[in-house]
Amino acid sequence: MRRLIPLMRWLPIGETTRRALDESLSDGWHEAHAVSGFAAKSMRWLQTCAAVARIVASAVSILDQEHPMSQFANDLRYALRRLRRAPTFAIFSILTLGLGIGATTAIYSVIHAAQSPPPAVTNVERIVNVYHSRGGSLPMLSLSWQDFTDFRARQTVFAKVMGWHHERFAFAAAGRAESGFGEFVTGDYFDVLGVPVALGRTIQPADDQRNAPAVVVISHRVWQRLFDEAPDVIGRTLRLNGVPAQIVGVAPQEFSGLFNGGIVSSAVWVPFSNLPRLGTARAGQMDDRRARIVLVKGLLRSDRTVEQVSVEAELIGRQLDLESPLARPGDDPRLSSSYFTRRWHVRRAADIVINEGMERIVRPLTATLLLAVSLVLMVVCTNLANMTLARATDRTHELAIRLALGASRWRLVREQIVESAVVVLAGATAGVALARVAMVILSRELAVGNGVTIRMVPRLDVAVLIAASIAAGLALVVAGIIPALQSVRADLRSPMSSSGGTSGVPRWRWRRLLIASQVTVSLVLVTLAALCISHVREGLGQDRGLDLAAIAVAEVDFGTQQYDPERTRSIANAIVSRLSQQPDVDAVAMSSGWPVLISDPGGTVLQPGTRTGASAAFVAGSPTILDALGLPLIVGRKFDARDTVGAPRVVILSQRTAQVLFDDAPAIGREVEVKRRQWVGEPEPRPFLATVVGIAGDVADAGGPENAVYLPIDQHPERRLTFTVRANGDPSRMLTTIRQTIAGVDPALAIGQLTTGPSLVGTEFLFFRVMGAIAAILGLFALILALAGLYGVLSHVIGRRTREIGIRIALGADTARILRMVIRDGLEPVISGLVLGLAIGGIARMSLGPMFTRLAPAIDPVVLTSVPLAMIAAAVVAAYVPARRAAKIDPNVALRD
């Protein structure tokens, strides 16, 4: 309370009222500390607060009587006239505020969309999630299929219960084939969510029976791409993983599923009963109570509460623990007890700020993004505050005359606040319009590779409008109210004694501080942008060992599409043969993946009978695999026609792997023990011995060198195949050829991913590219505003120092001295901001070390020197123009004026 006393001088009230407030607060503070006992102190404070409230109420009443709301129209007209006389200031203020508020609103709308329930879900308030665990990855949040069916049969608190699970699908119709994520769902999925269909019907409980016909609800996107939005699509057949399914409905355009909160778009919705027949990795897990594959949501009854759901879920879980224990003999004792017990937990969907399993990742990212755009908004506001203070200084003489003629300080403050409110309102309107345009752009689907599309649906809803209003309110306080109060704080009597108020040297301490803070914010953002950009640059320029510049690649999952091994081999050989005949192709290979970038399950390679070995990436490839990848053969031979089924098993090792196994001893002809892992849902292969026949060049991923083992694909057939094409020109031109070739061999074969080598590397750094671009845009915008503010403030200060500079010139100061003086004054706040910005930026870089420093160092000398030097150069340019104008002042004219 005592700290409020010095703040009284900020209030635009009369001296009598201010003294009354000072005395009441001082007396109350001393009396409260003079008495003892908590009750007595509290009573004294209450009496003081009541006295202050009476004084404030009387002051407000006097203000209302002296200045009724009818004066608002006059203030508004006066503000519009002043803005019309200063069009440059008005346009600049509205545009910068529009950009600042628009950026803040757009970013908040994206964050709000990421944290909100998926679009089109209407029953959010009544939906309750049932989890196996309180947190962790999605498998720990899921229930097994049998536990789900038991829970659904025994529960009494939900009107309906549904389960879902995301999975990758290949789907084809009408000679077109695609792949992407979809969802296995139970019959009440759409009813629980409250999502209608655009055409046809939803999946019903009858579709979820074991022997029910295969049906599917398709997304609006699939309806467009595969069926050209045909109105008679209901009843047609869509082949899912090679299995025909009847289309019974089309989902609404705004609904993209539940996977990652609807951000990763789902293409199809299939009844859970089809899981065993569609050949997915989870096909054999519906009868395993330890295979948690079902995420559960229930529609709460109107007469039940979440607490009752929690009690009943825990009771059913304990009953199932007794009836069907999850623990088995031989289980790893290091596994948590929560893995073997059904201590189920519940959570209202409306209480989930971010979708399941993503909170640990999304929360810090969204907080950082919102902080960055908020800092930019603060730069905008402080820049406008600087300009407003400069304009108020020019009005010092006018304000002094009006105050002498009887105008109250409150009226002077109110007029300036109304003027600022007009600017802020216009800027907020422009900002919301810009944010709406940005939302439309951001609503488009973004293909991130491997058949995955991301779709954000930012909306201009009430929450977003409230955020825009808060941003506008902050702008009004910082750029309007505070400068208005500052303008009437000063002694307005001294300007009456001078002709123009330009005789003294203007003080601009607070404006220096504002410029320094703007430079600090912009430097921090530019530094983080430089970190992201250097991380991406180092990653893209890293030598992976592969010659990626000429590679085009296509991934096809024959196993998911239920092609048998013979048919897979026949089609794959036909694809390789046809692509090899293309004139622009140097080499073609098929493989289980790549040693880097395109994953294979991998495994372990050992010296037989020893523990000397290493984990390695395993690639089962055709004889041309090294040629297609651009890997050199150091010694030995490549795979050839000898390496077929039934022949002695052979391997090719990378140099690094051979060094780990055999040191400097020759590796050709030596035997190694191979323990290869397999994909989820497929049987684990048995270890075997193989002879080393070749040593290939090393490979590296973003984290450094990798061990690699190459196997002949005829001895190790695969049904997830990667077709690698080495072109003798631009590889992007081969993508259409690859697609047409695969469609020519089998039109129903869906391609999982079709891209080039450079694009594949770029996708790996997509997150850092996006974050770097956002930080760079925000940082450059903040820097431009800071330099514009520096130019404006220096121009104003020089205008106020005209007489002083004229005297200096008359006393013999030359042009160079005047230039140095003005530029030095302009650089002081910039350098102060640079020092603070470098310190904060360095701390931020080191704190982000675990994410970035694999490729980009925490302390980057280039960034530490180039970015500040560039900012200083820009600041010198911003200060030079007003400095040059100051050096040309005619001392005779300056002294006469």
Side-chain angles (χ1 to χ4, degrees), residues 309-347:
V309 176
S310 179
V311 171
E312 186 170 79
E314 186 174 356
L315 177 61
I316 296 175
R318 292 182 183 276
Q319 292 174 352
L320 292 177
D321 279 340
L322 296 175
E323 298 171 8
S324 304
L326 296 176
R328 299 171 184 171
D331 282 332
D332 190 341
R334 293 174 297 180
L335 291 175
S336 172
S337 60
S338 63
Y339 186 85
F340 302 111
T341 56
R342 301 176 178 88
R343 298 295 184 261
W344 293 338
H345 305 277
V346 302
R347 191 176 181 186

Coordinates of all heavy atoms in Angstrom, one line a residue, residues 309-347:
V309 N -17.9 -41.8 -12.8 CA -17.2 -42.6 -13.9 C -15.9 -43.1 -13.3 O -15.5 -44.2 -13.6 CB -17.0 -41.7 -15.1 CG1 -16.2 -42.4 -16.2 CG2 -18.3 -41.2 -15.7
S310 N -15.2 -42.2 -12.6 CA -13.9 -42.6 -12.1 C -14.0 -43.8 -11.1 O -13.2 -44.8 -11.2 CB -13.2 -41.4 -11.4 OG -12.0 -41.8 -10.8
V311 N -15.0 -43.7 -10.2 CA -15.2 -44.8 -9.3 C -15.5 -46.1 -10.0 O -15.0 -47.2 -9.7 CB -16.3 -44.4 -8.3 CG1 -16.7 -45.6 -7.4 CG2 -15.9 -43.3 -7.4
E312 N -16.4 -46.0 -11.0 CA -16.8 -47.3 -11.6 C -15.7 -47.8 -12.5 O -15.5 -49.1 -12.6 CB -18.1 -47.0 -12.5 CG -18.6 -48.3 -13.1 CD -20.0 -48.0 -13.8 OE1 -20.0 -47.5 -14.9 OE2 -21.0 -48.4 -13.2
A313 N -14.9 -47.0 -13.2 CA -13.8 -47.5 -14.0 C -12.8 -48.2 -13.1 O -12.3 -49.2 -13.5 CB -13.2 -46.3 -14.7
E314 N -12.5 -47.6 -12.0 CA -11.5 -48.2 -11.1 C -12.1 -49.6 -10.5 O -11.3 -50.5 -10.4 CB -11.2 -47.3 -9.9 CG -10.1 -47.8 -9.0 CD -9.7 -46.8 -7.9 OE1 -10.2 -45.7 -8.0 OE2 -8.9 -47.2 -7.1
L315 N -13.4 -49.6 -10.3 CA -14.0 -50.9 -9.8 C -13.9 -52.0 -10.9 O -13.5 -53.1 -10.6 CB -15.4 -50.6 -9.4 CG -16.2 -51.9 -8.9 CD1 -15.5 -52.5 -7.7 CD2 -17.6 -51.5 -8.6
I316 N -14.3 -51.6 -12.1 CA -14.2 -52.6 -13.2 C -12.8 -53.1 -13.4 O -12.5 -54.3 -13.7 CB -14.9 -52.0 -14.4 CG1 -16.3 -51.7 -14.2 CG2 -14.7 -53.0 -15.6 CD1 -17.0 -51.1 -15.4
G317 N -11.8 -52.1 -13.4 CA -10.4 -52.5 -13.6 C -10.0 -53.5 -12.5 O -9.2 -54.4 -12.8
R318 N -10.3 -53.3 -11.2 CA -9.9 -54.2 -10.2 C -10.6 -55.6 -10.4 O -9.9 -56.6 -10.1 CB -10.3 -53.6 -8.8 CG -9.5 -52.4 -8.5 CD -9.8 -51.9 -7.1 NE -9.1 -50.7 -6.7 CZ -7.9 -50.6 -6.2 NH1 -7.3 -51.8 -6.0 NH2 -7.3 -49.5 -5.9
Q319 N -11.8 -55.6 -10.8 CA -12.5 -56.9 -11.1 C -11.7 -57.6 -12.2 O -11.5 -58.9 -12.1 CB -13.9 -56.6 -11.5 CG -14.8 -56.1 -10.4 CD -16.2 -55.7 -10.9 OE1 -16.5 -55.7 -12.1 NE2 -17.1 -55.4 -9.9
L320 N -11.3 -56.9 -13.3 CA -10.6 -57.6 -14.4 C -9.2 -58.1 -13.9 O -8.7 -59.1 -14.5 CB -10.6 -56.7 -15.6 CG -11.9 -56.4 -16.3 CD1 -11.7 -55.4 -17.4 CD2 -12.5 -57.7 -16.8
D321 N -8.6 -57.3 -13.0 CA -7.3 -57.7 -12.5 C -7.4 -59.1 -11.8 O -6.5 -59.9 -11.9 CB -6.8 -56.7 -11.5 CG -6.1 -55.5 -12.3 OD1 -5.8 -55.7 -13.4 OD2 -6.0 -54.4 -11.6
L322 N -8.5 -59.3 -11.1 CA -8.7 -60.6 -10.4 C -9.1 -61.7 -11.4 O -8.6 -62.8 -11.3 CB -9.8 -60.4 -9.4 CG -9.5 -59.5 -8.2 CD1 -10.7 -59.4 -7.3 CD2 -8.2 -60.0 -7.4
E323 N -9.9 -61.3 -12.4 CA -10.4 -62.4 -13.4 C -9.4 -62.7 -14.4 O -9.2 -63.9 -14.8 CB -11.7 -61.9 -14.0 CG -12.8 -61.6 -13.1 CD -14.0 -60.9 -13.7 OE1 -14.0 -60.8 -15.0 OE2 -14.9 -60.5 -13.0
S324 N -8.7 -61.7 -14.9 CA -7.7 -61.9 -16.0 C -6.4 -61.2 -15.7 O -6.2 -60.1 -16.3 CB -8.3 -61.5 -17.4 OG -9.5 -62.1 -17.6
P325 N -5.6 -61.7 -14.9 CA -4.3 -61.0 -14.6 C -3.4 -60.8 -15.8 O -3.4 -61.6 -16.7 CB -3.6 -61.9 -13.5 CG -4.7 -62.8 -13.0 CD -5.7 -63.0 -14.1
L326 N -2.8 -59.6 -15.8 CA -1.9 -59.3 -17.0 C -0.5 -59.8 -16.8 O 0.2 -60.0 -17.8 CB -1.9 -57.8 -17.2 CG -3.2 -57.1 -17.5 CD1 -3.0 -55.6 -17.6 CD2 -3.7 -57.7 -18.9
A327 N 0.0 -60.0 -15.6 CA 1.3 -60.5 -15.3 C 1.5 -61.9 -15.8 O 0.5 -62.7 -15.6 CB 1.7 -60.3 -13.9
R328 N 2.6 -62.3 -16.3 CA 2.9 -63.6 -16.8 C 4.3 -64.0 -16.3 O 5.2 -63.2 -16.0 CB 2.9 -63.7 -18.3 CG 1.6 -63.3 -18.9 CD 1.7 -63.2 -20.4 NE 0.4 -62.7 -21.0 CZ 0.3 -62.4 -22.3 NH1 1.4 -62.4 -23.1 NH2 -0.9 -62.0 -22.8
P329 N 4.5 -65.3 -16.1 CA 5.9 -65.8 -15.7 C 6.9 -65.4 -16.7 O 6.7 -65.4 -17.9 CB 5.7 -67.3 -15.7 CG 4.2 -67.5 -15.5 CD 3.6 -66.4 -16.2
G330 N 8.0 -64.9 -16.2 CA 9.1 -64.5 -17.1 C 9.1 -63.0 -17.5 O 9.9 -62.6 -18.3
D331 N 8.1 -62.3 -17.0 CA 8.1 -60.9 -17.3 C 9.3 -60.1 -16.8 O 9.8 -60.5 -15.7 CB 6.8 -60.2 -16.8 CG 5.6 -60.6 -17.6 OD1 5.7 -60.8 -18.8 OD2 4.5 -60.6 -17.0
D332 N 9.7 -59.1 -17.5 CA 10.8 -58.3 -17.1 C 10.5 -57.6 -15.8 O 9.5 -56.8 -15.7 CB 11.1 -57.3 -18.2 CG 12.4 -56.5 -18.0 OD1 12.9 -56.5 -16.8 OD2 13.0 -55.9 -18.9
P333 N 11.3 -57.8 -14.7 CA 11.0 -57.2 -13.4 C 11.1 -55.7 -13.5 O 10.7 -55.0 -12.5 CB 12.0 -57.8 -12.5 CG 13.1 -58.3 -13.4 CD 12.5 -58.7 -14.7
R334 N 11.8 -55.1 -14.5 CA 12.0 -53.7 -14.5 C 10.7 -53.0 -15.0 O 10.6 -51.7 -14.9 CB 13.1 -53.4 -15.5 CG 14.5 -53.8 -15.0 CD 15.6 -53.6 -16.0 NE 15.3 -54.4 -17.2 CZ 16.1 -54.4 -18.3 NH1 17.2 -53.6 -18.3 NH2 15.9 -55.2 -19.3
L335 N 9.7 -53.7 -15.5 CA 8.5 -53.1 -16.0 C 7.7 -52.5 -14.8 O 7.7 -53.1 -13.8 CB 7.7 -54.1 -16.8 CG 8.2 -54.5 -18.1 CD1 7.3 -55.6 -18.7 CD2 8.3 -53.4 -19.1
S336 N 7.1 -51.4 -15.1 CA 6.4 -50.7 -14.0 C 5.1 -51.5 -13.6 O 4.6 -52.2 -14.5 CB 5.9 -49.3 -14.5 OG 5.1 -48.7 -13.6
S337 N 4.8 -51.4 -12.3 CA 3.6 -52.1 -11.9 C 2.3 -51.7 -12.6 O 1.4 -52.4 -12.8 CB 3.4 -52.0 -10.4 OG 3.2 -50.6 -10.0
S338 N 2.3 -50.4 -13.1 CA 1.1 -49.9 -13.8 C 0.9 -50.6 -15.1 O -0.2 -50.6 -15.7 CB 1.3 -48.4 -14.1 OG 2.4 -48.2 -14.9
Y339 N 2.0 -51.3 -15.6 CA 1.8 -52.0 -16.9 C 0.9 -53.3 -16.6 O 0.3 -53.7 -17.6 CB 3.2 -52.5 -17.4 CG 3.2 -53.1 -18.7 CD1 3.2 -52.3 -19.9 CD2 3.1 -54.5 -18.9 CE1 3.2 -52.9 -21.1 CE2 3.1 -55.1 -20.1 CZ 3.1 -54.3 -21.3 OH 3.1 -54.9 -22.5
F340 N 1.0 -53.8 -15.4 CA 0.3 -55.1 -15.2 C -1.0 -54.9 -14.4 O -1.7 -55.9 -14.1 CB 1.2 -56.0 -14.4 CG 2.5 -56.4 -15.1 CD1 3.7 -55.9 -14.6 CD2 2.5 -57.1 -16.2 CE1 4.8 -56.2 -15.2 CE2 3.7 -57.4 -16.9 CZ 4.9 -56.9 -16.4
T341 N -1.4 -53.7 -14.1 CA -2.6 -53.4 -13.3 C -3.5 -52.5 -14.1 O -3.0 -51.6 -14.7 CB -2.3 -52.9 -11.9 OG1 -1.5 -51.7 -12.0 CG2 -1.6 -53.9 -11.1
R342 N -4.8 -52.7 -13.9 CA -5.8 -51.8 -14.6 C -6.3 -50.7 -13.7 O -7.4 -50.7 -13.3 CB -6.9 -52.7 -15.1 CG -6.5 -53.8 -16.1 CD -7.7 -54.6 -16.4 NE -7.5 -55.7 -17.4 CZ -7.0 -56.9 -17.1 NH1 -6.8 -57.2 -15.8 NH2 -6.9 -57.8 -18.0
R343 N -5.4 -49.8 -13.3 CA -5.7 -48.7 -12.5 C -6.2 -47.5 -13.5 O -5.5 -46.6 -13.7 CB -4.6 -48.2 -11.7 CG -4.1 -49.2 -10.7 CD -5.2 -49.5 -9.6 NE -4.7 -50.5 -8.6 CZ -4.9 -51.8 -8.6 NH1 -5.6 -52.3 -9.6 NH2 -4.4 -52.5 -7.7
W344 N -7.4 -47.8 -14.0 CA -7.9 -46.9 -15.1 C -8.2 -45.5 -14.5 O -8.7 -45.4 -13.4 CB -9.1 -47.5 -15.8 CG -8.8 -48.7 -16.5 CD1 -7.5 -49.1 -17.0 CD2 -9.6 -49.8 -16.9 NE1 -7.6 -50.3 -17.7 CE2 -8.9 -50.7 -17.6 CE3 -11.0 -50.0 -16.7 CZ2 -9.4 -51.9 -18.2 CZ3 -11.6 -51.2 -17.3 CH2 -10.8 -52.1 -18.0
H345 N -8.0 -44.5 -15.3 CA -8.2 -43.1 -15.0 C -9.2 -42.5 -16.0 O -9.2 -42.9 -17.2 CB -6.9 -42.3 -14.9 CG -5.9 -42.9 -14.0 ND1 -6.0 -42.7 -12.6 CD2 -4.9 -43.8 -14.2 CE1 -5.0 -43.4 -12.0 NE2 -4.3 -44.0 -13.0
V346 N -9.9 -41.5 -15.6 CA -10.8 -40.8 -16.5 C -10.4 -39.3 -16.6 O -9.8 -38.7 -15.7 CB -12.3 -41.0 -16.1 CG1 -12.6 -42.4 -16.0 CG2 -12.5 -40.3 -14.7
R347 N -10.8 -38.7 -17.7 CA -10.6 -37.3 -17.9 C -11.6 -36.7 -18.9 O -11.8 -37.3 -19.9 CB -9.2 -37.1 -18.4 CG -8.7 -35.6 -18.4 CD -7.2 -35.6 -18.9 NE -6.7 -34.2 -18.9 CZ -5.5 -33.9 -19.4 NH1 -4.7 -34.8 -19.9 NH2 -5.1 -32.6 -19.4

